[in-house]
Amino acid sequence: MKTHFHRKDDSQIYAEDVPLSVLAKEFGTPSYIYCLSTIKAQYETLSSTFAEILPKDRQPLLCYACKANSNKAILSALRSWGAGLEIVSGNELVRGVNAGFDPDRIVFTGVGKTDGEIEAALKSGIHQINVESIFEISQINEVAKKLGMVAKVVFRLNPDVSGGGHSKISTGRKRDKFGLSANRVVQAYDIADTLDHIDAVGLSMHIGSQVFEVSAFERAFRKLPELVQTLRGKGHNVSRLDIGGGFPIQYSDESLLDLKAYAEWVRDIIVPLETEIIMEPGRFLVGNAGGLLTRVISVKETDEIDFLITDGAMNDLIRPTLYDAFHGIEAVKHGEPSKTYSVTGPVCESGDMFGHDRKLPDMVAGDLCLIKSAGAYGFCMASNYNSRVLPAEILVYGDKYQLIRPRQTLEDILNAEKVPEWVENL
Ligand code: LLP
């Protein structure tokens, strides 16, 4: 998998044409660094594979799942290359519209949407709302009625297929909270038929994220033709299929989804159903494009383990703690990997750990470390735990670079908090 982080001439690591030490000096650490060329290459890989394998009139609308990384600069870039957007909240809708996405290229997914979020989506002229429960049909109908509109919806099928790199990010098993069983989808269509403000136009599904076992996609796709036939047999309109995201990226040396095989399944199973095709890739577009740049605070030797304590921590990148996720870790400086470290942050939990038993050069306080493949579900899941401020984000493109989100300040945090008078005077 292509990434534009690379080591130049046995010296330090660069992000595209910019040495990481330059970025660390100018913007401080911990900081997220994103290589825009990687995002572009990933987008082009997806779109060109589908251009090659799927018929011209069945090209998918690639709706970027912006929960993966919703920085406005990244949204704007993806929009300019032709992406649509998948959103899961009213706030993501605002972000998308601000970044210039045409609402008719935005799909709204998620298992719980408030009336206010539904109203905003309908008013914006959103492409579709992906419905996940029988309750939601009447909820959306009521909101649309109030607005004098008709809501275009698709129903999310829960295909009862397990996929996803970790149980917490597997979404297509029948005991998961997502989607509707095939029977309930049919029921949902029947109900929609009786409602004046709902126009049911198709189906969606998303089986999970970082889907390793690639045949899981095929198994899930194979659930669609029969259901589509049943629905059409009852006179229902199925003109859109949104087949979700979940494309995996490389965190270590995983063998990856053969995109061509995926595209061939789409060609062989989905295309014959003659619908508009939508996909929702998130991680694949941005994951390998980003790294968390940290600086070593200290090296702590114990009887058992040498800990490398960096200024980045679990609040900046929660994935290792939350999902036992593996992220590659490299010293920015060049050197033979002669030492073994457990790389951690200063947060007061043993779970604050980026990785155990990592081979690195002899490290000293002040050295820089890059935590790799952190462009997806990195910054956007960061928190203020331990009153730590949110890290900065920097976008690099060739030799150009810019701060796209300044480091949060403690004032930002403290100014938002209020002490009631009746607490002051206790
Ligand atoms: N569509 C739906 C309905 C989703 O729920 C998701 C991700 C996506 C698309 C995008 O999936 P992707 O292409 O990125 O795999 N925080 C976790 C991942 C959570 C994914 C949630 N849903 C992690 O860090 O691994």
Side-chain angles (χ1 to χ4, degrees):
M1 175 152 296
K2 207 170 161 66
T3 155
H4 291 79
F5 287 106
H6 59 107
R7 196 175 287 285
K8 234 181 205 173
D9 309 327
D10 281 358
S11 81
Q12 64 170 298
I13 302 179
Y14 282 59
E16 308 216 3
D17 299 334
V18 185
L20 289 184
S21 60
V22 168
L23 298 177
K25 191 161 176 216
E26 194 163 333
F27 303 109
T29 53
S31 291
Y32 276 96
I33 315 291
Y34 307 120
C35 299
L36 190 59
S37 298
T38 309
I39 303 178
K40 190 163 188 229
Q42 292 295 91
Y43 184 77
E44 281 167 2
T45 299
L46 273 190
S47 46
S48 64
T49 306
F50 296 127
E52 191 187 317
I53 290 170
L54 303 184
K56 235 192 165 115
D57 60 345
R58 293 283 172 237
Q59 289 303 307
L61 174 59
L62 296 176
C63 290
Y64 169 56
C66 69
K67 62 175 85 60
N69 186 327
S70 53
N71 189 291
K72 284 196 279 189
I74 287 170
L75 295 190
S76 297
L78 280 160
R79 193 253 309 132
S80 76
W81 298 324
L85 203 67
E86 183 255 2
I87 57 158
V88 288
S89 69
N91 290 350
E92 284 190 348
L93 174 66
V94 174
R95 273 184 184 278
V97 170
N98 283 348
F101 283 90
D102 176 352
D104 193 35
R105 294 169 71 79
I106 303 181
V107 300
F108 187 8
T109 77
V111 76
K113 308 171 188 83
T114 64
D115 289 359
E117 289 176 318
I118 293 167
E119 180 173 336
L122 292 177
K123 276 187 178 158
S124 77
I126 199 156
H127 191 59
Q128 70 193 32
I129 300 180
N130 296 13
V131 170
E132 301 229 8
S133 67
I134 301 288
F135 171 84
E136 251 194 327
I137 312 171
S138 37
Q139 185 195 11
I140 297 171
N141 186 63
E142 284 307 308
V143 176
K145 185 173 168 186
K146 205 179 82 191
L147 298 173
M149 298 177 79
V150 175
K152 284 211 181 325
V153 305
V154 302
F155 296 116
R156 178 167 175 178
L157 171 69
N158 179 320
D160 193 19
V161 167
S162 170
H166 187 277
S167 169
K168 286 183 185 153
I169 55 174
S170 189
T171 53
R173 303 160 297 188
K174 70 171 177 227
R175 289 183 60 80
D176 293 325
K177 68 176 174 177
F178 300 97
L180 295 154
S181 65
N183 286 342
R184 280 177 201 264
V185 166
V186 178
Q187 192 193 344
Y189 256 100
D190 290 342
I191 295 171
D193 254 6
T194 67
L195 300 172
D196 291 340
H197 298 273
I198 296 284
D199 182 15
V201 292
L203 302 173
S204 71
M205 68 180 173
H206 172 76
I207 57 171
S209 199
Q210 185 68 3
V211 178
F212 279 108
E213 200 208 326
V214 294
S215 58
F217 285 115
E218 188 196 2
R219 267 183 282 134
F221 290 172
R222 290 213 182 276
K223 306 266 171 153
L224 287 171
E226 196 189 319
L227 179 57
V228 171
Q229 248 176 21
T230 306
L231 292 167
R232 285 182 177 159
K234 295 187 80 183
H236 295 310
N237 167 22
V238 187
S239 56
R240 296 181 191 176
L241 290 176
D242 175 345
I243 54 178
F247 307 92
I249 62 161
Q250 204 137 36
Y251 285 99
S252 56
D253 53 3
E254 307 92 332
S255 55
L256 284 185
L257 170 69
D258 177 353
L259 256 190
K260 280 203 165 153
Y262 177 94
E264 283 162 7
W265 293 325
V266 176
R267 182 194 61 199
D268 298 343
I269 306 169
I270 308 290
V271 168
L273 301 175
E274 298 191 325
T275 64
E276 174 187 332
I277 301 170
I278 299 169
M279 296 175 193
E280 304 168 353
R283 186 191 317 263
F284 185 83
L285 295 175
V286 292
N288 286 125
L292 178 63
L293 184 60
T294 64
R295 200 181 277 286
V296 175
I297 296 176
S298 64
V299 180
K300 174 174 175 174
E301 295 173 353
T302 71
D303 293 345
E304 306 275 330
I305 293 174
D306 289 349
F307 291 98
L308 195 63
I309 301 170
T310 73
D311 59 2
M314 64 185 270
N315 73 295
D316 302 305
L317 176 65
I318 191 85
R319 299 196 70 259
T321 310
L322 196 56
Y323 314 116
D324 293 320
F326 178 92
H327 284 258
I329 300 175
E330 264 190 73
V332 170
K333 71 180 183 187
H334 181 251
E336 283 307 307
S338 56
K339 294 270 189 149
T340 303
Y341 296 103
S342 285
V343 184
T344 175
V347 162
C348 302
E349 295 202 24
S350 294
D352 178 24
M353 183 60 65
F354 289 131
H356 287 292
D357 297 329
R358 299 308 178 89
K359 294 258 181 276
L360 294 170
D362 200 356
M363 301 292 278
V364 294
D367 281 345
L368 294 170
C369 249
L370 182 67
I371 324 270
K372 301 197 296 184
S373 307
Y377 308 109
F379 179 87
C380 56
M381 293 179 77
S383 76
N384 290 128
Y385 190 36
N386 282 205
S387 287
R388 291 169 54 84
V389 296
L390 298 178
E393 293 180 286
I394 296 136
L395 188 65
V396 182
Y397 194 39
D399 60 1
K400 291 196 277 282
Y401 59 89
Q402 193 167 316
L403 187 64
I404 55 172
R405 194 183 206 277
R407 187 176 311 286
Q408 195 182 28
T409 64
L410 182 60
E411 292 70 55
D412 294 334
I413 299 176
L414 293 181
N415 287 341
E417 296 173 15
K418 304 280 174 259
V419 183
E421 222 174 73
W422 42 267
V423 168
E424 300 236 40
N425 300 326
L426 284 179

